[in-house]
Amino acid sequence: MAAQNANPEPVRGGVRAGGLLFVGRDRELRALLGALSAPPAVVLVEGEAGIGKSRLVAEASAVLRADGIVVVTGGCHPLREPLPYGPVVDALSALGPCIAPSAAVDPAVGVLAPLLPGLAGRLPPPPADAPGPSGQRHLVAAAVRALLAAVAPAVLVVEDVHWADEATKELLVLLAGGLPTGTALVLTYRGEDLPPGAPVLGAALRRPPGTAGAELGLRPLGREAMAVLARSVLGQGATASVVHHLAERSEGLPLVLEEDLITLAGRDPLPGLVGDEDLRVPRSLRELLAARIGLLGPDATALAQGAAVLAVAGGADVLGAVAGLDEERTHQALLAALGAAVLRERGPDAYGFGHALARQAVYDMLPGPVRTRAHRRVLAVLRAQDPPPLVQIAHHTRALGDDTWITEARAAADQAADVGDIGTAVTLLRQILDQPGLATDQVAETALALANTVQFSIDAPGSVSTLRRILATPGLPTAVGGEIRSHLANVLLNQAGDPVGRDEMEKAALELEDSNPALAARNMSVLAVSDTGSASAEERAAWMTRALHLLERTPDRLAHTVVRANQITLLLTAADPRIPALLAALPRVDDDSRVPRATAIALSCAAESAILVGLDRRAPAWNDESLAISERIHFTALAAYGESYRLLLTWTGGHWDRWDAELAAYRARYPDSPLTDTGLLGTAQGVIAAARGQTSRAAALLERVVAHDPTSVLTLGAAAATARLHLARGDAATARSSLADALDRVRSRRLWPYALGVVPTAVEAAVALGDRAGALALQEAHAEGISSGECPGAEAEQDLCRGLLLAADRPEAAYEAFERAVGRWKAIGRPREEALAAERAALALTAVEPREGLARLGRAAAAFDSLGATSDASRCRRHLRVLGRAPTNPRGRAGYGDDLSPREREVADLLAAGAGNRDIAAALFISLRTAEHHVAAVLRKLRSTRAAMRGNGT
């Protein structure tokens, strides 16, 4: 999508997209066009009201359209009637001429057909199944992407995003995270209209790799630019004193300057200044509008005043009705208002003010009786429409001080929530709650409606703040408060990732136990399985028992399914053999999509747990069924989890040759996924880095995993891998202390079946420190903890523990224990763990049968080589050297000439992986000086540098 006019020369011209000369924005225009020249791209344009955001975008759009690029624009408005994704839908509705009826449009676009009736003949039919709110949002995002791709190169512009509703914001976040090739997104907004520090779209806007972008902040025009613009309109009348006066009045705000120039065109120099100071609407703008309206006749004045009260662009018939004019008088009055530049044409049969500040200026000038009369006329007109615009009706009813506005606002909020316009619904419900003197039942009903609505907002901090404020509402019944607190807990846990949510969930469960057993049971079952907090296994089991008892008091299908699903999740930590049968009993189909959603979540948790306990071959089927159910009910939240499990099986299955490419693909597909560098995926990255000899990088990766959520089960593997790094350096004391917290969690939550390396690593550290009693106690506790579970990975780790305890005194028995571990890991399908156990078995065997033991060490080294585990292979070869059976060099010490020796090839592989000299020394078990010697030799022989090798992966 090349912008041919994006050249280093100033982009100037006469009257263009905005009417007057475009001045003072050459740098910004070049930046905007430059960003849009390398799609996909996301551009933010920020500036105060009247600063020229729309004009800048209009100028860029003119350049792009001249280059054959499709540009469509939608705008947000504070009084927009509820319409899902309204600004985006408005923009897309203009794409009709760009879509040939015979074009092969992606069937996914059919989701938009109900929203774009004007394009019905050009779009595929809508899907037969109606997804839930969450699925609908993701389907709409996919459909918009597909439609933009069909007309690419294309630019979607959404203006005044500070007024966007929540559904539109979320859609824009999703679009920005995955724009199709050849498309771009431009968003304009007022920073001063956002809460302090709040992202423009409520959630952080992240551009994925490969997406260009820019953030442009517009500032007031400079004096020189204002002089150029003044001369272009006033000619010789733009004297130095006039320009100075204009600059003082406008303070560089293009809107005010242009309004001044329109007024002055063809007149005498600027009149004097009158009026008071009003910081909300610039004084000069009030004066300009007052002067222009003063030149209008009574009919045109009434029309302008009615437009100011109406607050949205209206057709001639609506404006005439509000002003009390017949058709002919309306026509003449409208021509006069347009001719005086009081009103402007905003679309086909849509007239309003050029800017919100202009409308506000006229509205503020209205005497109270005139304003009241106009609001009554507007209400009469709006109520006669079919369907009536409920948001506007509520606004005008409230402006009149009519108590019925609460009823009107509630109806509008319900309508907005029904069509997915969360932002409008939340705003209206907040206004109702702010009304003094509400009856207790009104407070309860409205507060609950607001809580039910706000939990779907993407603005987690805003939702939390609102829900806490609702809970503080005087007179709120305990049962209603419990339900609202339940929503707060869900937002804290699921959106904000705040462990405080567990405390709120506990309070909610207790508040609801008598009045709402279904919801109380669901909350208690969540407390039983939540991966936050320090609750012991006994405490979690107690919550689950209470939840199961509460089910006896309710027939609610959703409650029964959620509690049973969470019961399975709790049983997963014990590797209970009944899990497959319990999973099979969960419902896959139900009229309430939340029921199969609970089943899908349980299957997803089971897939993850299968990997944790070593049932790797069982995980894919559960994961695939979870994703299939999710797709059928349009529940997209599990997709990133499901793909992460597939990636984890690449790691555990030893397919490390595919790991880097598949991890990069996962990042590209889920750029905002919190899973990528945390939990199990983060641990896998650290473990692989350590095995490849990237010790420093491994330590940093593992530290990040543990720091992200120190209390999570999913950080146990990172803690164990960190301890192994310390053991490799001979620091058993640090290894043991670094595992203390992880061991406490394993003991407290009875996580013995999870094969994450914690127990065997702790046993090895204890043995190395001479604490045989402590090591034995830990091994015995582990053996008891896994005795009743189906956990082959933990059984393999138990064999390792026994072997470690036997190695010093009974090497033959240790060998047999390690060999059992080898067999178990092989049956599970984990080649690295199999090779690690084989290495230990070989070392034990050398004390009994040296020749066979050394041969097996060589085979273990070869197994590590096949994985690309350079450090592991080097460790085995070091054992061979120490034990006197290092492979000899048949060509002699200097027999390789310019070719790399096997050792130098290992060094080259580590350099390509980004390892430093210290990492190489640690990985190959050689001194730092020897590592430096090898590095110098490798770089000399390959005629390369560190940077070049790292970049080429040599």
Side-chain angles (χ1 to χ4, degrees):
M1 185 166 54
Q4 302 296 329
N5 291 37
N7 54 56
E9 295 300 319
V11 182
R12 295 186 185 273
V15 175
R16 298 222 307 205
L20 299 183
L21 190 71
F22 182 64
V23 299
R25 301 290 190 218
D26 297 330
R27 181 181 61 81
E28 291 86 350
L29 180 57
R30 283 196 296 270
L32 178 53
L33 291 171
L36 297 178
S37 68
V42 179
V43 181
L44 302 179
V45 181
E46 185 272 336
E48 64 179 297
I51 201 68
K53 302 182 295 295
S54 297
R55 179 64 186 276
L56 173 65
V57 173
E59 293 293 331
S61 298
V63 173
L64 296 171
R65 290 188 179 106
D67 291 336
I69 295 167
V70 174
V71 182
V72 290
T73 302
C76 307
H77 193 281
L79 286 183
R80 170 186 286 278
E81 284 305 303
L83 173 66
Y85 326 107
V88 176
V89 169
D90 286 348
L92 298 180
S93 63
L95 287 176
C98 305
I99 308 172
S102 59
V105 180
D106 190 325
V109 177
V111 173
L112 300 176
L115 302 176
L116 297 168
L119 303 183
R122 301 172 183 269
L123 300 182
D129 297 334
S134 176
Q136 175 71 14
R137 290 193 288 271
H138 287 272
L139 287 179
V140 169
V144 174
R145 290 191 188 102
L147 183 55
L148 290 175
V151 300
V155 177
L156 171 62
V157 178
V158 181
E159 297 216 63
D160 295 322
V161 177
H162 52 277
W163 281 327
D165 60 89
E166 293 296 325
T168 298
K169 286 181 181 179
E170 182 173 23
L171 174 59
L172 294 175
V173 169
L174 294 173
L175 289 177
L179 284 169
T181 302
T183 65
L185 180 64
V186 178
L187 309 176
T188 73
Y189 69 101
R190 301 181 200 166
E192 70 270 19
D193 282 3
L194 297 174
V200 62
L201 295 178
L205 184 65
R206 297 184 177 91
R207 301 183 185 91
T211 298
E215 295 187 20
L216 307 179
L218 301 190
R219 299 297 174 258
L221 292 177
R223 186 65 62 94
E224 181 182 351
M226 288 190 282
V228 171
L229 183 57
R231 286 194 294 270
S232 72
V233 175
L234 303 178
Q236 296 301 315
T239 63
S241 62
V242 169
V243 171
H244 174 76
H245 210 158
L246 288 169
E248 290 295 315
R249 284 169 60 87
S250 68
E251 297 182 347
L253 197 65
L255 170 71
V256 177
L257 180 61
E258 290 183 3
E259 297 289 350
D260 271 342
L261 290 172
I262 292 172
T263 300
L264 290 174
R267 294 188 184 184
D268 292 332
L270 204 65
L273 301 180
V274 293
D276 59 2
E277 296 294 337
D278 184 337
L279 297 180
R280 184 176 183 187
V281 178
R283 176 186 56 194
S284 56
L285 185 57
R286 291 201 322 272
E287 294 165 356
L288 286 170
L289 269 299
R292 289 181 188 173
I293 290 177
L295 299 175
L296 298 176
D299 286 354
T301 298
L303 195 77
Q305 292 172 339
V309 172
L310 184 62
V312 297
D317 56 341
V318 172
L319 293 175
V322 172
L325 305 176
D326 60 28
E327 183 177 353
E328 181 57 30
R329 289 170 64 189
T330 296
H331 177 71
Q332 296 301 324
L334 185 55
L335 290 177
L338 292 171
V342 173
L343 298 182
R344 296 184 182 180
E345 189 171 3
R346 303 295 299 275
D349 192 30
Y351 307 94
F353 292 86
H355 194 278
L357 288 178
R359 187 205 70 82
Q360 188 65 47
V362 175
Y363 185 84
D364 290 344
M365 287 187 280
L366 293 178
V370 174
R371 188 184 299 172
T372 298
R373 184 180 183 186
H375 277 298
R376 294 193 186 283
R377 283 183 167 173
V378 167
L379 276 174
V381 171
L382 296 179
R383 284 176 170 146
Q385 295 180 2
D386 186 19
L390 299 182
V391 172
Q392 294 179 55
I393 289 173
H395 166 77
H396 293 289
T397 308
R398 189 183 189 199
L400 289 170
D402 191 332
D403 289 341
T404 63
W405 81 267
I406 293 178
T407 303
E408 306 282 8
R410 185 58 197 272
D414 290 345
Q415 181 195 57
D418 288 344
V419 301
D421 188 347
I422 303 301
T424 296
V426 167
T427 298
L428 290 164
L429 292 169
R430 281 175 175 165
Q431 290 174 352
I432 295 173
L433 281 179
D434 287 338
Q435 179 73 13
L438 277 184
T440 300
D441 60 337
Q442 286 181 307
V443 170
E445 182 184 2
T446 307
L448 189 55
L450 179 55
N452 280 322
T453 303
V454 80
Q455 66 176 321
F456 296 110
S457 168
I458 63 171
D459 177 13
S463 299
V464 169
S465 175
T466 298
L467 289 167
R468 289 199 185 283
R469 187 167 67 85
I470 297 171
L471 285 170
T473 304
L476 201 64
T478 301
V480 174
E483 191 167 347
I484 294 171
R485 195 181 303 280
S486 178
H487 295 320
L488 171 62
N490 282 319
V491 172
L492 285 168
L493 290 172
N494 300 326
Q495 295 184 41
D498 189 339
V500 173
R502 182 180 175 86
D503 297 333
E504 297 291 353
M505 184 73 76
E506 184 172 339
K507 292 178 185 176
L510 297 176
E511 290 172 339
L512 293 166
E513 191 166 10
D514 292 333
S515 61
N516 192 338
L519 184 54
R522 287 161 53 188
N523 287 348
M524 290 176 182
S525 71
V526 170
L527 289 169
V529 299
S530 173
D531 191 25
T532 59
S534 58
S536 66
E538 290 80 7
E539 291 169 327
R540 293 168 185 273
W543 280 119
M544 183 56 70
T545 299
R546 291 178 70 173
L548 292 170
H549 286 160
L550 281 177
L551 289 184
E552 299 172 2
R553 293 171 46 197
T554 176
D556 188 280
R557 297 192 315 279
L558 177 61
H560 278 262
T561 305
V562 169
V563 172
R564 296 297 181 189
N566 284 333
Q567 180 189 25
I568 291 171
T569 302
L570 185 63
L571 292 174
L572 289 169
T573 63
D576 194 300
R578 297 172 294 169
I579 287 170
L582 294 172
L583 282 171
L586 290 177
R588 268 61 172 175
V589 179
D590 195 276
D591 292 339
D592 183 347
S593 65
R594 293 175 298 173
V595 171
R597 182 175 71 186
T599 299
I601 293 173
L603 286 164
S604 181
C605 292
E608 180 182 69
S609 182
I611 298 172
L612 292 173
V613 302
L615 293 169
D616 295 14
R617 290 184 169 85
R618 191 175 288 174
W622 285 339
N623 188 42
D624 290 346
E625 186 179 11
S626 169
L627 294 176
I629 294 173
S630 299
E631 183 176 0
R632 176 167 51 80
I633 62 174
H634 309 293
F635 179 52
T636 60
L638 291 182
Y641 288 87
E643 292 299 327
S644 77
Y645 302 152
R646 290 170 178 168
L647 186 53
L648 286 171
L649 291 171
T650 296
W651 166 48
T652 59
H655 306 294
W656 291 12
D657 55 328
R658 306 196 318 248
W659 169 259
D660 294 325
E662 291 185 8
L663 178 62
Y666 182 86
R667 287 187 189 279
R669 185 169 185 183
Y670 303 102
D672 298 326
S673 172
L675 308 175
T676 311
D677 297 312
T678 62
L680 297 180
L681 278 185
T683 300
Q685 293 176 61
V687 169
I688 289 176
R692 289 173 173 173
Q694 301 165 292
T695 310
S696 299
R697 180 170 183 267
L701 289 169
L702 296 169
E703 181 182 3
R704 178 172 61 185
V705 172
V706 175
H708 179 264
D709 189 355
T711 66
S712 172
V713 169
L714 302 182
T715 65
L716 294 175
T722 299
R724 287 195 294 274
L725 291 177
H726 295 306
L727 284 174
R729 291 194 293 268
D731 189 353
T734 302
R736 187 179 199 178
S737 63
S738 70
L739 274 177
D741 289 342
L743 272 175
D744 286 345
R745 268 177 285 155
V746 170
R747 291 189 178 100
S748 173
R749 296 185 59 178
R750 297 180 184 172
L751 301 174
W752 305 109
Y754 284 175
L756 293 170
V758 175
V759 175
T761 305
V763 167
E764 183 176 2
V767 169
L769 292 170
D771 182 12
R772 181 176 177 80
L776 180 61
L778 184 56
Q779 175 262 321
E780 290 175 345
H782 182 257
E784 181 181 356
I786 67 173
S787 59
S788 61
E790 186 180 12
C791 46
E795 291 169 353
E797 290 193 339
Q798 174 63 201
D799 290 327
L800 290 174
C801 292
R802 288 174 174 150
L804 289 166
L805 284 164
L806 294 168
D809 301 324
R810 300 175 57 195
E812 187 171 0
Y815 164 72
E816 292 175 354
F818 289 137
E819 274 292 286
R820 286 195 298 273
V822 170
R824 294 188 197 278
W825 287 125
K826 184 174 183 178
I828 292 169
R830 297 197 185 182
R832 182 174 183 248
E833 279 71 16
E834 178 187 347
L836 287 169
E839 177 189 0
R840 293 187 184 278
L843 287 171
L845 188 59
T846 56
V848 181
E849 299 181 25
R851 184 183 298 274
E852 180 61 20
L854 292 172
R856 294 197 178 193
L857 266 178
R859 290 198 288 273
F864 289 130
D865 281 333
S866 67
L867 285 170
T870 308
S871 182
D872 292 333
S874 296
R875 185 181 59 250
C876 286
R877 294 191 175 94
R878 177 175 177 271
H879 292 319
L880 289 169
R881 289 196 302 274
V882 170
L883 294 170
R885 288 293 305 275
T888 59
N889 177 3
R891 299 160 74 174
R893 176 174 290 277
Y896 287 93
D898 289 336
D899 295 333
L900 296 181
S901 69
R903 172 63 82 197
E904 288 168 347
R905 172 51 62 187
E906 290 178 333
V907 171
D909 290 341
L910 288 167
L911 284 170
N917 288 356
R918 292 187 182 279
D919 288 338
I920 293 171
L924 301 181
F925 301 92
I926 55 180
S927 70
L928 178 60
R929 185 178 182 84
T930 302
E932 292 170 347
H933 170 76
H934 283 312
V935 168
V938 168
L939 296 178
R940 173 178 54 78
K941 288 183 179 183
L942 295 180
R943 296 180 177 84
S944 186
T945 64
R946 284 180 179 274
M949 292 188 67
R950 186 164 53 248
N952 295 331
T954 303

